Amino acid sequence: MVVPDETIAGLLLDSAARIVLLVLDGLGGLAREPGGPTELEAAVTPNLDRLAREGTCGLIEPVGAGVTPGSGPGHLALFGYDPLRYTVGRGVLSALGIGFDLRPGDVAARGNFATLDDDGVVTDRRAGRLASAIGAELAELLDGIELGDARLFVRPVKEHRFVLVLRGDGLSAALADTDPQRTGVRPKKPEPLADDAGATARLVERFVEEARRRLHGREAATGVLLRGFATLPDWPGVRERFGLRAVALADYPMYRGVARLVGMEVPEHGEGLDAAVTALAHLWDDFDFFFVHVKHTDSAGEDGDFDRRVALLEEADAVVPRLLDLGPDVLVVTGDHSTPAVLGRHSWHPVPALLWAATARADGADGFGERQCRGGGLGSRFPAVELLPLALAHAGRLTKFGA
Amino acid sequence: MVVPDETIAGLLLDSAARIVLLVLDGLGGLAREPGGPTELEAAVTPNLDRLAREGTCGLIEPVGAGVTPGSGPGHLALFGYDPLRYTVGRGVLSALGIGFDLRPGDVAARGNFATLDDDGVVTDRRAGRLASAIGAELAELLDGIELGDARLFVRPVKEHRFVLVLRGDGLSAALADTDPQRTGVRPKKPEPLADDAGATARLVERFVEEARRRLHGREAATGVLLRGFATLPDWPGVRERFGLRAVALADYPMYRGVARLVGMEVPEHGEGLDAAVTALAHLWDDFDFFFVHVKHTDSAGEDGDFDRRVALLEEADAVVPRLLDLGPDVLVVTGDHSTPAVLGRHSWHPVPALLWAATARADGADGFGERQCRGGGLGSRFPAVELLPLALAHAGRLTKFGA
């Protein structure tokens, strides 16, 4: 049962106990053939197996039954933030995903380069999924547009996708999408959805018109479509909610951005897992909570490469002794969602999770895999947001509830 | 974790994937002797066993811990409607249960024929549980009562029970029960519970008085008691909530009625499971969701007939290959509640459930039974309302949540 935020906040103890959260992105998998092992079951992971034997295991659902988590919601759940309650606008997630330094008050939106005919009617919402290099060139072209006092940023994402950010005083993200979500019609106007959004709506309209002017005659794309206007959320951080001084060791912008959203420090460090663990060791005395992110296990799943996923899981396993040498009080190993290689995409399947601590009640698992986790003490389909309170408890960071 | 309706609605994809829900009414059972098998464990069900081996299993709780579901709530949960939130008045369930063609605005109530003494005091709330034939005769007697502009229907249910339906303009179901729930007192007046219910209350009062007049001098019953005034609920259907064109293949009025409440088509078809599957095959191209209901597994449980339940489960098993031949993307087999023969009634025990799909993560079950479901990946006591979102996910009908 998920305990309300304010209850956990009322139980926090001063403590120097340290928690490490190792996230193997897209960890959960599926068997390649009936009766066969999943990627994690196939991988030779003696160190994770030991943690599973000594700790307690289960399978998490990051969002809920049947829901395939995006990376943002998947990580928020692991950080103890219910992703159905702590929602982030799409524009913000896109900006975080490319590492844009979004600031409070900035309005961010997702953009598509699109094809419009001479009458301004959308004929292709994705401009033929133009090449990323072309997208970058067009983004640069629009980045120069000036809108009076407001600053404007246009940054390429991938193919036909870009991010628009407006920076200035008194901007509002309460704007309707201009993307009509179908062809054969004109883009919509950026309608204000709140009383104070009129000025921002007019700025966006000017941007859209000027973009169309600058793209005129281009072969690649002749207009833009915008959706998911959003500002940075103003959430209580992990310090306030869980009493944790937290740091993220993550290479990729999206995960660094989401960590920043919940108040983690996000230092630069060299690329790769070994560099992340080296950086972590240097920061050991300054923090209580260490989030370490491994990206490639997910990428291999998205590529449909079962064997590479197995190899990457074995690589991640090899780093576990270095983490244990630091003497964490609690070590949690899990993923933000499943990315089975046989599906080649994120999925809704529950994700293996283990919690290792001196106080863990071992539950008879003989290794770390979907099968063992299904029979583990944490449950075969438990809410991922429960992991953080459990980690706090095993770290001795929560006092008794009631006398 | 149960995901809110609006979240699921926001994730729906266009899809032609088909889901079959086979409900074996009252499926869950209990062992006849300590250590023995339940009905389902005793039954030889090679086809269901195969589905369990290839799919994922668990035990559902239709309403919640310790709650014995009626047929209405039990089915609503399987259709993805939380029975604690989507409540149906008793009068409506009774009317649906006898196949009465209830229309929007109709007010329905449950009635008892009762014994009142000469002073109008209730001496037997069920008139000695009079024979159904007598009840039918008395219902016909009262069906003729005229109430000005409003039409009135009195239909027998079983023994002393009947259904009263009022049809007319501006009727209200906000009326208190007239059934005092004990003997030695007079029936209550049908008090209006809302400002606009006065006129309906007076109509009901006139019906009660006229019924007493017509029953005067009868040996079988001398008055009526009414409770559970209700109108048809106005719920979003499965098309709106889940993007499903759904059809029910069910013989019995109650199940046809509940299916209609959530917007399913309910065609006529020949009696029995084979006829239902034949009808289903003919409708295969026209729908996405097929609810097939098997009644007798419950009836045998209510009769306390363990062996007949075993035989009926084996009969149901034999139809599975015909369902698989149609090529469903997802096949769910479960029940709406338990009806253990040793208890002879509905019970609160969790109900076996299996979900078969190409994307299911097999969980090592060696057959379909309470024991195997307990160790399955869906959980040993999970909310039945989670089944439908899970089926949508396995059918590829839900997109990713968040970026």
Side-chain angles (χ1 to χ4, degrees):
Chain A
M1 207 153 70
V2 180
V3 178
D5 292 1
E6 55 277 18
T7 304
I8 295 292
L11 303 176
L12 297 174
L13 294 172
D14 273 340
S15 166
R18 286 180 180 74
I19 299 167
V20 173
L21 169 66
L22 174 62
V23 176
L24 309 178
D25 204 301
L27 176 62
L30 283 174
R32 189 154 39 175
E33 59 274 315
T38 64
E39 296 91 321
L40 181 58
E41 289 166 358
V44 178
T45 54
N47 298 298
L48 292 171
D49 291 347
R50 176 198 148 190
L51 295 180
R53 275 197 306 276
E54 297 176 2
T56 181
C57 297
L59 291 160
I60 54 169
E61 271 183 348
V63 181
V67 176
T68 296
S71 298
H75 276 85
L76 286 174
L78 298 180
F79 301 157
Y81 289 69
D82 178 355
L84 291 171
R85 176 173 167 195
Y86 292 92
T87 56
V88 196
R90 298 230 153 198
V92 167
L93 279 179
S94 291
L96 297 178
I98 58 166
F100 186 88
D101 179 26
L102 204 62
R103 303 187 191 166
D106 287 358
V107 171
R110 289 186 170 195
N112 275 13
F113 291 110
T115 313
L116 279 59
D117 67 17
D118 289 345
D119 292 331
V121 168
V122 179
T123 57
D124 185 338
R125 289 182 53 245
R126 298 179 186 88
R129 290 190 184 276
L130 47 77
S132 296
I134 307 283
E137 189 188 308
L138 298 182
E140 197 174 342
L141 182 72
L142 304 194
D143 192 48
I145 292 175
E146 298 201 359
L147 293 176
D149 290 344
R151 280 201 63 188
L152 174 148
F153 307 86
V154 178
R155 294 284 183 274
V157 176
K158 195 181 173 188
E159 298 175 343
H160 57 283
R161 293 194 294 276
F162 66 87
V163 175
L164 167 72
V165 176
L166 298 176
R167 179 170 295 162
D169 290 333
L171 296 177
S172 167
L175 299 179
D177 295 353
T178 74
D179 185 344
Q181 296 287 345
R182 59 195 181 98
T183 56
V185 296
R186 289 198 175 79
K188 300 184 192 177
K189 297 233 167 185
E191 295 291 340
L193 302 175
D195 287 345
D196 60 354
T200 314
R202 284 189 294 276
L203 282 178
V204 171
E205 207 173 336
R206 279 173 52 201
F207 164 73
V208 169
E209 284 164 9
E210 178 63 18
R212 189 147 160 68
R213 209 183 58 72
R214 292 198 182 194
L215 293 170
H216 184 76
R218 291 258 167 181
E219 205 172 316
T222 51
V224 296
L225 304 175
L226 301 170
R227 58 202 160 98
F229 291 91
T231 51
L232 275 179
D234 182 24
W235 295 337
V238 287
R239 183 81 182 254
E240 181 180 341
R241 288 192 55 208
F242 303 122
L244 295 171
R245 298 170 302 160
V247 63
L249 292 309
D251 288 339
Y252 280 67
M254 170 64 92
Y255 313 97
R256 298 170 63 85
V258 175
R260 209 180 275 123
L261 280 183
V262 300
M264 294 191 194
E265 295 287 320
V266 187
E268 296 289 339
H269 55 83
E271 210 171 302
L273 184 52
D274 274 312
V277 175
T278 301
L280 188 159
H282 284 299
L283 297 165
W284 194 247
D285 291 335
D286 302 326
F287 293 93
D288 317 300
F289 185 89
F290 303 82
F291 157 50
V292 184
H293 183 257
V294 175
K295 173 65 184 168
H296 297 302
T297 41
D298 175 56
S299 314
E302 299 217 315
D303 294 344
D305 193 336
F306 192 101
D307 295 328
R308 185 153 59 92
R309 256 165 80 76
V310 171
L312 287 164
L313 290 167
E314 294 178 350
E315 267 181 37
D317 180 77
V319 90
V320 168
R322 289 187 62 201
L323 292 174
L324 288 178
D325 284 347
L326 292 165
D329 296 274
V330 178
L331 174 54
V332 174
V333 185
T334 186
D336 54 338
H337 52 76
S338 291
T339 311
V342 296
L343 295 183
R345 58 174 193 276
H346 290 203
S347 82
W348 62 93
H349 297 87
V351 191
L354 73 80
L355 187 156
W356 177 90
T359 48
R361 190 188 275 160
D363 43 35
D366 60 355
F368 190 43
E370 281 80 355
R371 181 175 54 77
Q372 294 97 336
C373 287
R374 195 175 55 245
L378 295 176
S380 65
R381 219 155 50 77
F382 76 100
V385 285
E386 291 184 345
L387 271 177
L388 199 98
L390 285 168
L392 292 173
H394 282 279
R397 287 180 156 267
L398 297 180
T399 189
K400 191 160 62 175
F401 174 79
Chain B
M1 204 153 70
V2 180
V3 178
D5 292 359
E6 56 276 16
T7 304
I8 295 292
L11 301 176
L12 296 175
L13 293 172
D14 273 338
S15 165
R18 286 179 179 75
I19 299 168
V20 173
L21 169 66
L22 174 61
V23 176
L24 308 178
D25 204 300
L27 176 62
L30 284 173
R32 190 151 43 174
E33 59 275 317
T38 65
E39 296 91 321
L40 181 58
E41 288 167 0
V44 178
T45 54
N47 299 297
L48 292 171
D49 292 347
R50 175 197 147 190
L51 296 180
R53 276 196 304 274
E54 297 177 4
T56 180
C57 297
L59 291 160
I60 54 168
E61 271 184 348
V63 182
V67 176
T68 297
S71 298
H75 276 84
L76 287 174
L78 298 180
F79 300 156
Y81 289 69
D82 179 354
L84 292 171
R85 173 172 169 198
Y86 291 92
T87 55
V88 195
R90 298 234 151 195
V92 167
L93 279 179
S94 291
L96 297 178
I98 58 165
F100 185 87
D101 178 26
L102 205 63
R103 302 184 192 168
D106 287 357
V107 171
R110 290 190 168 191
N112 275 13
F113 291 111
T115 312
L116 278 60
D117 68 16
D118 289 344
D119 292 333
V121 168
V122 179
T123 57
D124 186 336
R125 287 182 52 245
R126 298 179 186 88
R129 290 190 184 277
L130 47 77
S132 296
I134 307 283
E137 189 187 310
L138 298 182
E140 199 175 339
L141 183 72
L142 304 194
D143 192 45
I145 293 174
E146 297 199 1
L147 292 177
D149 290 343
R151 279 199 66 188
L152 173 148
F153 307 86
V154 178
R155 294 285 184 270
V157 176
K158 195 181 172 187
E159 298 175 343
H160 57 283
R161 294 195 293 276
F162 67 88
V163 174
L164 168 71
V165 176
L166 298 176
R167 180 172 296 163
D169 291 334
L171 296 176
S172 167
L175 300 178
D177 295 353
T178 74
D179 186 344
Q181 296 287 348
R182 60 192 180 99
T183 56
V185 296
R186 290 198 174 78
K188 302 182 189 178
K189 296 235 170 188
E191 295 291 341
L193 302 175
D195 287 345
D196 60 354
T200 313
R202 285 188 295 276
L203 281 179
V204 171
E205 207 172 336
R206 278 172 52 200
F207 164 74
V208 169
E209 283 164 9
E210 178 62 17
R212 189 146 159 70
R213 208 185 57 72
R214 292 199 182 195
L215 293 169
H216 184 73
R218 292 255 168 184
E219 206 172 316
T222 51
V224 296
L225 304 175
L226 301 170
R227 60 203 158 95
F229 291 90
T231 51
L232 275 179
D234 182 24
W235 295 337
V238 287
R239 184 84 182 252
E240 181 179 341
R241 289 190 55 206
F242 304 123
L244 295 171
R245 297 170 304 160
V247 63
L249 291 310
D251 289 337
Y252 281 68
M254 170 63 93
Y255 313 97
R256 298 170 63 85
V258 174
R260 211 180 273 123
L261 278 183
V262 300
M264 294 192 195
E265 296 286 322
V266 187
E268 296 291 337
H269 55 83
E271 210 171 300
L273 184 52
D274 273 311
V277 175
T278 300
L280 187 159
H282 284 297
L283 297 165
W284 193 246
D285 290 336
D286 303 326
F287 294 92
D288 318 300
F289 185 89
F290 302 83
F291 157 50
V292 184
H293 183 257
V294 175
K295 173 65 185 168
H296 297 302
T297 40
D298 175 56
S299 315
E302 299 216 316
D303 293 344
D305 193 336
F306 191 100
D307 294 328
R308 184 153 60 91
R309 258 166 78 76
V310 170
L312 287 165
L313 290 167
E314 293 178 351
E315 266 181 38
D317 180 77
V319 90
V320 168
R322 291 187 62 199
L323 293 174
L324 288 178
D325 283 347
L326 293 165
D329 296 275
V330 178
L331 174 53
V332 174
V333 185
T334 185
D336 54 337
H337 52 76
S338 293
T339 312
V342 297
L343 296 181
R345 58 173 193 275
H346 291 201
S347 82
W348 61 95
H349 298 87
V351 190
L354 72 79
L355 188 157
W356 178 90
T359 48
R361 190 188 272 161
D363 43 35
D366 60 356
F368 189 43
E370 280 80 354
R371 181 177 52 78
Q372 293 97 335
C373 287
R374 196 176 52 244
L378 295 176
S380 63
R381 215 155 52 77
F382 74 100
V385 286
E386 290 184 343
L387 270 177
L388 199 99
L390 285 168
L392 292 173
H394 282 278
R397 287 179 156 270
L398 296 180
T399 189
K400 194 162 62 173
F401 175 81

